[in-house]
Amino acid sequence: MINGIWDSSLTLTGEQNIRFLDDTDLGTGMTLEYVGDFNVNFTGINGAKTITLGGDVVVNTASTGRTIVFGNAAANLALNVDLGGAHRKFVVGPGRSLGFVNEISNGSISIYSVVNFSGSNTYIGDTRVYTGNLSLNGTMGSVASTVYVHATNGASTVTFNSSSGTGTVRANAVALDGAGSINAQTATLAVAGNSGRIPWIPLPMP
C-alpha cells in the first residue's frame, strides 16, 4: 500500500476497506492487479482526508467484475483526490470499474474504460474519454471544465446520470470528436434517469 501497488502477487480473501487517518501524498499512482474476487474501498476516517497522486490509476485485477471506489458519501469517511497538478490517466481493464465519490482537484484526466464520478469536482484541466464510459452521477457528479469524447481507441460515451438525483451542472461543455474512429466507433453523449425529460445541453460550435 505504501507504494500504491497491489500487484498479482497479492491475493485478497475478503473485501478491503482502506482508511486514511491523515492527508497523504502517495508519491506514486495506484495500480491494482491483485488476485481474488473482492472489491477495494478507499476512504478517510474521522473527517474528510485527501490523497495526492504521483502517477496514474490502473485497475486490471485478475478477476473481472471488480469495483474500486475512492471516497464515501458519509462526511466522516470522505476521501478527496488531488491529481498533483498533473495530467493523470485512469486506465480500467474490461469488466472492471473505478469510482470517485468525493472531490477530485488540481490537474487533468484521460479516461480509458468504465469510470464513475459522483462528487463535485474542481479540477479545471480537460477531461478526455478515449474509450468506455465516464458517468457523472447523482446530484453532485460533475466536472468543472470541458469533457472531450474521442473515438480513436474505441466507442466512448459520457453519461449524465440522474437516476439517483438530478444534477444541476454536469460539465462546462461536451465536445464529441469522432475523427479517426476505427470500424465506425462513436463518440456519444447520453442522458439517463430524468423520467423522460431530457435537459437542454449546450455544445460548443464546431
Side-chain angles (χ1 to χ4, degrees):
M1 175 57 190
I2 293 175
N3 62 5
I5 298 174
W6 299 46
D7 63 21
S8 58
S9 66
L10 174 65
T11 299
L12 300 186
T13 58
E15 183 167 319
Q16 303 294 302
N17 293 293
I18 310 302
R19 295 181 174 180
F20 288 84
L21 293 170
D22 300 293
D23 294 341
T24 303
D25 188 338
L26 295 176
T28 66
M30 295 286 288
T31 300
L32 296 106
E33 298 176 330
Y34 62 82
V35 175
D37 296 334
F38 301 98
N39 300 326
V40 177
N41 306 294
F42 297 96
T43 72
I45 187 68
N46 298 328
K49 301 298 185 294
T50 298
I51 58 170
T52 300
L53 295 175
D56 301 329
V57 177
V58 177
V59 177
N60 195 26
T61 52
S63 172
T64 60
R66 301 281 60 81
T67 297
I68 309 300
V69 176
F70 289 82
N72 193 285
N76 66 318
L77 297 176
L79 184 66
N80 302 314
V81 176
D82 186 322
L83 301 171
H87 183 81
R88 305 300 184 197
K89 295 179 181 178
F90 293 166
V91 183
V92 184
R96 297 125 176 117
S97 66
L98 172 64
F100 296 85
V101 177
N102 306 118
E103 179 188 355
I104 305 173
S105 64
N106 192 26
S108 59
I109 298 172
S110 291
I111 288 172
Y112 300 82
S113 201
V114 178
V115 178
N116 300 287
F117 290 173
S118 301
S120 181
N121 298 310
T122 60
Y123 69 92
I124 59 174
D126 294 341
T127 304
R128 295 186 177 270
V129 184
Y130 284 103
T131 186
N133 179 66
L134 167 63
S135 185
L136 304 177
N137 298 331
T139 58
M140 302 295 289
S142 63
V143 296
S145 55
T146 299
V147 180
Y148 296 89
V149 188
H150 302 275
T152 50
N153 292 353
S156 300
T157 303
V158 59
T159 300
F160 292 179
N161 184 4
S162 297
S163 299
S164 59
T166 301
T168 53
V169 178
R170 292 300 190 191
N172 179 273
V174 175
L176 304 178
D177 181 7
S181 65
I182 299 173
N183 297 325
Q185 301 286 8
T186 58
T188 305
L189 168 63
V191 179
N194 281 296
S195 300
R197 174 180 174 271
I198 300 177
W200 178 77
I201 302 168
L203 299 179
M205 296 296 291

